[in-house]
Structure formats: structure tokens, C-alpha cells
Amino acid sequence: MATAPQHVTLASMSRDVAAWVDEVAQLTQPKKIYWCDGSDAEFVALERELVADKQLLPLDSRSFPGCVLSRSDPSDVARVEHLTFVCTRNKEDAGPNNHWIAPQEAHRQMDALFAGCMQGRTLYVVPYCMGPLDSPFSRCGVEITDSAYVVLNMQIMTRMGRAALERIARDGAFVKGLHSTGDLDPKRRFIMHFPEELSIKSFGSGYGGNALLGKKCHALRIASWQARTEGWLAEHMLIVGIENPQGEIYYLACAFPSACGKTNLAMLIPPASYQGWKVWTVGDDIAWLHPGKDGRLYAINPESGYFGVVPGTNAKTNRNAFEMIHKDTIFTNVGLTADNQPWWEGLTEGTPVTDWQGRPYNRAISPAAQPNSRFTVSAKQNPSYSKLADAPGGVPISAIIFGGRRRALAPLVYQARNWLHGVLMGAGVASETTAAATDAVGVVRRDPMAMKPFAGYNFGDYWAHWINVGAKLKFPPQIFHVNWFRQDHAGKYLWPGYGENLRVLRWIIDRCNGKASARDTAIGHLPNSHDLDLQGLEISGAALEELLAVNPLLWQEEFAGIDKYLAEFGERVPQSLKTELSQALQRVHSSQV
Ligand code: GTP
Ligand code: SPV
Ligand code: MN
């Protein structure tokens, strides 16, 4: 690949990007325009500026070298789904799963907010590539932002800078993302997507999913729209390789809603009895999936870093993450100890003295770390980083796993009969809401394929597209559903979770190879307790029985709920999915008699 010499100015590399930057500068009136080259020197210089300006606090350099703390505005700590819009010409194309405003009206409202908003500020031009720079599956974008914090995060999370701009100049296409933190007034905060124009406008928030536009806005909402027209899938999925003692590696793609265990599963540490097993992380949040020429489904991770949930991370739950966030990490909204170490709930050592808002820590008033506090860290720091994370062609997927956070009903694991049944399983995912969005926490809501907040178009069309993609695959992945979050009456988790989840993944892989047995139930194939490897695990027979039970009465209610939900999407729901659902209902009915 030819590279432009260093002295070629970034602004001269793409006339299209430069013209758009001019247009935005006219509107926003910045004091200065800065084109990001993505170099280490640039990162260090920007970080220094933010430290000097007290926007970032350096952490204890002995125990956390290269780490900094960012404290956000207390009102700006999570995604804002009620302020997030998909602005298609035809309202029906955005679907009942999205908030919608007509594009013209949306532009008018947003441009009024952007007018003059960068006066006295620097406008940063951030060219980025989602996916390996040399992958045919990758897609580029440019984010214009007035937040240096966003620039630093984008540098970690994406392939950012000169090389991305070179690819844009070659491709001739890019997603335009315009962002300003504005005055952080929640009443003047909107995240708008224009899939037909491949553009995004985000105002009034500096938080991850609202402000790092390469992530959810581009790599899921805009990309899912593009994927539909181009025959692939953009999904809220981790990608993980499981290596057995024979050295065979199986790749799994797992869709769990926000804060439901993707990062943890993606870098899981095998239990002590699993000698010779290894886990390789390809991605922890987003997967772009393409049917390959050989009839299998291939996945790339469009990101290059992790923007992960901090609370709960410790050497026992997620040792890989715990180790990798001890250097060169940006922490957002955690507490501090007396000697300036970051502190969060779930740590077994250290004592917080300051909470995430910089106030003296008082457990009665606030947790030390905001429940959605996050770390930003390069994927290369992960001890389990997969060599294939940069492979231009991606990795072949053996199984797709849906999951949710359900204290009742959903068993530990079950397998779909075939692709169509699996699509129904995905469409029926429901999960208790978490702190990753600003709404109420702990409420069960429908979250099909973990994409409720992220599908950039009508779910009816989306399910039809899933069915079409499956039909193109000669060797479609097997589809499963898992639930690590079943609780007993006292609210205690029935399943130990974390590393022990490998026992379930092992059954899944064996099912893909036709090596494990199962029992056929009304909702799909479930393991018998003797089908799971439980050696060395302390779990009561009663807990196990509950984890693997199927209660037909409750499932009848569940399917009725799914039926009602699908009906919201009317004519756009594929007939084959409706038929599949009525057959599922039929099966639970007959399993009762
Ligand atoms: P997003 O980044 O928001 O998309 O979240 P995620 O899906 O990557 O979730 P993550 O792995 O960060 O986990 C979120 C929370 O769930 C953390 O507090 C974890 O400690 C907890 N968690 C993860 N896996 C398990 C598990 O197997 N069992 C239990 N009980 N909790 C888990
Ligand atoms: C999620 O909420 O699913 C996240 C964090 O991964 S954010 O980047 O804010 O979307
Ligand atoms: Mn996520």
C-alpha cells in the first residue's frame, strides 16, 4: 500500500473532507482547526494539555503509569436513548424501535445548536477507520469534534489519523460525524443519525456512546443500514476464540445487551480444571459479519480498543481486564484513594476517599465509582489479544450466542433448531436494563439481538435481513441463548458465571461438532445436567435443576409477549418468522398436556 510522505498536509489529502471541514467551520466558528494525525506524540501532547487544564487528573504513576482520570458532568454519564434519533425520509424505515424526526427538521434543529458553538474552541478533525486498515470489510469516517477527550478516546478505540485519511482518499467515501459537547445542558442534547446521507450529528454530551461517533453511531446504527443494502450484518457482539487442548480454535460471536457481560466473556480466564484451554479476544462490543465464499460467516471487530464497564472488574472476575487497565488507560468517573489510585466497587483492596464527582466519599450518598464508569484502553494491552484481531478477512464463526440478564425464566443455555428458529430466539431476547443508559435500571424490556438501542432501521426489515443472510450460508453458525443471571428467591446468582461460563461454551462448541447430547424441549435443545462438564465446580443439584428447567406455563406467557411485540412491527415482520413463532407457541401448548 503506497503511503503519502509525511510532509503532505492532512488537509490536502482529501478534497471532500477538506470541503466538509470548511463548511462545518463556517457554521461552528472555531478559534482553531486541528487535523489529527493519530501519532503517539499527538496523543501525549493532547493529554498534557488536558492535564494542565485540569480536565484530566494523572493517576498514581507508580501503580497506574500513563493512566488518567476524567470526571464528566454529573448529568452526562451514559447513553441517552430518549434523545437518540434515526432520521430517515420515510418514518416507517426507522421503525417503531427508533425515535424519528424528518431529516430536514432534524438538520434545522441541530444546525441551530451548532451555530457558533465552537467559538473560542479548537475544532479537531478526526479521520478514522473502523476495522483493519487493509480489510475490504472496513469502513471509514471523519468525526469533527470540539472535545480533546473525544480525540484521545477515538485514538484508542479506532485506527485514527493519517492512515485512515489515506484510505478515505482512496475509497472516496466516508461517514460524516459532527460532534460538539456544547454546554452539556441536557435540554440541548441530541444524537441524530441520517443513514441515507451516511451522516451523524451529536450535540451536548461528551459520554462514550453519544460522543465517540465511530462506535455505536457509525459502527452500529449507520453500519447496520449499510450492511442491509450490501448483504452483511453489523451487530452488538463480542468475538472470541476458544482454543481446546488439541489446539483447535472455535470462534463465537455473542450478542448481550449493554453491561450484560460481553467484555468479560471476550477475555475469560478458564477455570482451574481447564488445563490447556486458551481464550483469544477478537472483539468485545461490535462485530461486522460477512458471508464468505466458502459458505461460512466471517467476523471482524471494527474497533481497536475497549470502552469497558469498570465496576465489578477485579482479579477474580476478569483478570485480563484488571491487568490491562493498570497502564495507559483513561478512566472516566471512578473514585480515588488517598494516594491517587483509581477505586471502584468490586475492588477488594484500597479505600476510596473521593467519589466520582470529586466529593469526599460517603457510601450513604453515592458509590465511589459511577455505576456506568468506564475504562478506555488499547486492545493490544489485553493479555488474551488474538493474533487474528487484525486479520483483513476476519475469523470464521461457529456459533452465534444471544443472551440477556434475566433473574427468572431463561435457562442457563439452550440451542435453536435451525437458523430461522435462532432468528426468532434473537428477536425474542429480553433483558433487565442497566446503568449503561440513563433510564430506570432493572426493568425487563425487549432487546432483540441486543440491538434495541442500536439498529439503524426498522426491526421488521432487520429480521428479514437476518433470515436472508442465513439463506446465503452453506454452513450457518449454530444459534444459542445463554443467561448467566438467574437468581434464587434471595436474589443470589444461581450460576457462578465469569470463568465458569467456559463450561457452557464447551457444550456449545461440542454441539456444533455433533459431539454433545441434549434433550429436546419446547423451546429448543437443552443440556441434561450430565451433558455439562461440572468437574471441580461447587453447585447444588437444586440450583442446577432450576438453571436447566423449562416451565411451559411461563414460556407460554413469554411467547405471547413476543407475539405482541412483533405485532408492533406490522407488515414488515417476515411471514416466516410469524410462522416460526406460532409453531413455538404450539410446542409449549402441547408440552403441557
Ligand atoms: P457494554 O460495554 O455496556 O456493552 O457491556 P458488556 O456487555 O461488555 O458488559 P461487561 O462485560 O462489562 O459486564 C457488565 C457487568 O456484568 C459487570 O459488572 C460484570 O462484572 C458483570 N458480569 C459479567 N459477566 C458476568 C457473569 O458471568 N455473571 C455475573 N453474575 N455477572 C457478570
Ligand atoms: C454500551 O452501552 O453498550 C456500551 C457503552 O458499549 S457505549 O459506548 O456508551 O455505547
Ligand atoms: Mn456495548
Side-chain angles (χ1 to χ4, degrees):
M1 199 188 313
T3 345
Q6 246 358 75
H7 65 264
V8 173
T9 65
L10 293 162
S12 70
M13 285 170 56
S14 161
R15 214 181 299 164
D16 293 345
V17 177
W20 179 57
V21 170
D22 280 349
E23 194 187 300
V24 169
Q26 294 263 332
L27 175 68
T28 58
Q29 301 286 308
K31 180 178 73 183
K32 205 175 122 191
I33 296 178
Y34 176 83
W35 289 69
C36 298
D37 64 15
S39 64
D40 292 344
E42 174 183 271
F43 186 94
V44 170
L46 265 180
E47 198 172 58
R48 267 202 205 122
E49 264 177 48
L50 288 180
V51 168
D53 197 35
K54 303 238 175 346
Q55 292 185 52
L56 287 179
L57 298 171
L59 296 169
D60 177 47
S61 60
R62 199 179 32 85
S63 49
F64 285 86
C67 296
V68 290
L69 169 65
S70 162
R71 289 191 185 122
S72 76
D73 185 279
S75 79
D76 186 30
V77 296
R79 285 182 293 99
V80 281
E81 293 180 8
H82 59 297
L83 304 174
T84 300
F85 293 77
V86 170
C87 311
T88 45
R89 282 191 296 265
N90 175 356
K91 183 176 181 187
E92 281 300 303
D93 291 337
N97 46 309
N98 282 301
H99 299 294
W100 177 88
I101 309 183
Q104 253 189 332
E105 175 58 15
H107 280 304
R108 197 189 58 74
Q109 286 183 22
M110 293 307 275
D111 291 352
L113 294 171
F114 278 107
C117 75
M118 294 189 192
Q119 279 169 22
R121 298 187 189 180
T122 299
L123 177 160
Y124 298 93
V125 182
V126 186
Y128 63 85
C129 179
M130 300 313 290
L133 282 158
D134 53 353
S135 168
F137 304 143
S138 300
R139 294 285 185 277
C140 291
V142 177
E143 174 164 359
I144 293 180
T145 178
D146 55 8
S147 161
Y149 166 84
V150 165
V151 176
L152 293 181
N153 277 273
M154 284 292 285
Q155 169 144 4
I156 297 173
M157 296 303 298
T158 71
R159 280 93 172 164
M160 186 274 258
R162 181 173 285 267
L165 196 55
E166 279 170 9
R167 177 155 172 166
I168 290 171
R170 278 200 312 277
D171 286 359
F174 64 100
V175 169
K176 292 176 180 163
L178 173 54
H179 169 255
S180 170
T181 47
D183 49 12
L184 296 173
D185 176 354
K187 289 200 228 51
R188 291 156 45 83
R189 178 176 294 161
F190 295 102
I191 327 294
M192 306 253 186
H193 304 74
F194 305 88
E196 287 144 335
E197 304 165 21
L198 301 185
S199 78
I200 305 154
K201 290 183 177 175
S202 165
F203 191 90
S205 168
Y207 170 77
N210 303 330
L212 312 177
L213 301 186
K215 197 173 176 50
K216 296 301 171 37
C217 300
H218 177 165
L220 287 179
R221 298 196 190 93
I222 299 288
S224 61
W225 175 283
Q226 282 184 297
R228 182 182 170 223
T229 56
E230 297 171 10
W232 49 285
L233 295 166
E235 298 297 325
H236 190 204
M237 289 176 174
L238 70 94
I239 308 162
V240 68
I242 309 289
E243 181 173 341
N244 64 20
Q246 293 76 50
E248 298 159 338
I249 308 183
Y250 297 90
Y251 292 93
L252 315 174
C254 313
F256 310 154
S258 300
C260 290
K262 288 183 301 302
T263 302
N264 277 266
L265 193 75
M267 50 196 73
L268 165 162
I269 306 263
S273 65
Y274 272 62
Q275 290 296 317
W277 290 74
K278 294 189 190 112
V279 170
W280 301 109
T281 316
V282 179
D284 85 321
D285 198 48
I286 300 178
W288 285 358
L289 304 153
H290 287 258
K293 287 202 182 72
D294 61 359
R296 304 181 70 182
L297 187 64
Y298 284 80
I300 64 161
N301 170 16
E303 301 188 284
S304 62
Y306 311 125
F307 183 66
V309 175
V310 180
T313 307
N314 62 46
K316 235 180 125 187
T317 55
N318 190 347
R319 194 173 79 222
N320 284 326
F322 190 63
E323 280 176 16
M324 77 183 167
I325 61 178
H326 274 75
K327 65 162 194 179
D328 299 331
T329 299
I330 301 173
F331 287 90
T332 301
N333 291 340
V334 296
L336 284 178
T337 64
D339 54 358
N340 240 19
Q341 297 189 34
W343 200 91
W344 55 87
E345 280 64 25
L347 282 186
T348 45
E349 281 169 34
T351 313
V353 296
T354 308
D355 75 9
W356 63 278
Q357 297 190 54
R359 306 171 302 190
Y361 171 62
N362 180 345
R363 189 203 294 237
I365 293 178
S366 159
Q370 208 284 332
N372 190 41
S373 51
R374 297 265 166 176
F375 55 75
T376 318
V377 66
S378 164
K380 295 222 164 82
Q381 284 181 212
N382 177 3
S384 65
Y385 184 69
S386 165
K387 278 199 296 259
L388 292 184
D390 290 293
V395 294
I397 298 299
S398 298
I400 287 174
I401 307 177
F402 296 116
R405 188 182 277 269
R406 304 234 20 203
R407 72 192 68 158
L409 188 73
L412 180 63
V413 59
Y414 58 111
Q415 180 187 12
R417 289 160 209 285
N418 53 43
W419 183 269
L420 182 58
H421 185 222
V423 174
L424 177 65
M425 201 180 253
V429 167
S431 191
E432 289 151 28
T433 51
T434 65
T438 52
D439 313 288
V441 168
V443 185
V444 177
R445 71 155 178 188
R446 297 260 151 235
D447 193 349
M449 279 82 171
M451 284 286 279
K452 165 71 186 71
F454 308 120
Y457 63 100
N458 190 316
F459 262 148
D461 299 334
Y462 171 84
W463 297 318
H465 181 52
W466 260 82
I467 294 168
N468 289 340
V469 168
K472 277 195 251 174
L473 299 170
K474 194 161 165 215
F475 307 105
Q478 294 291 311
I479 301 183
F480 298 81
H481 187 288
V482 297
N483 179 18
W484 315 137
F485 300 95
R486 278 296 286 275
Q487 293 176 15
D488 65 14
H489 293 301
K492 190 174 162 288
Y493 288 117
L494 291 172
W495 178 249
Y498 301 103
E500 307 295 348
N501 293 336
L502 184 55
R503 299 173 187 276
V504 174
L505 302 185
R506 183 181 190 173
W507 179 78
I508 286 175
I509 291 167
D510 284 346
R511 285 296 293 171
C512 295
N513 287 328
K515 283 199 217 153
S517 46
R519 71 193 164 100
D520 194 13
T521 77
I523 62 167
H525 305 295
L526 262 83
N528 301 291
S529 57
H530 61 258
D531 294 324
L532 291 174
D533 168 20
L534 301 171
Q535 197 199 335
L537 183 72
E538 273 185 41
I539 185 162
S540 74
L544 205 57
E545 197 174 312
E546 202 169 335
L547 283 165
L548 298 177
V550 177
N551 179 327
L553 261 181
L554 294 180
W555 275 100
Q556 202 177 316
E557 265 173 47
E558 182 73 3
F559 284 132
I562 294 170
D563 190 30
K564 211 166 139 207
Y565 180 69
L566 293 196
E568 287 176 31
F569 299 86
E571 288 306 302
R572 299 237 181 174
V573 180
Q575 187 52 48
S576 57
L577 195 65
K578 291 186 206 162
T579 309
E580 190 67 31
L581 177 60
S582 60
Q583 284 168 3
L585 256 170
Q586 198 66 47
R587 278 196 294 267
V588 270
H589 271 302
S590 44
S591 74
Q592 273 171 274
V593 289

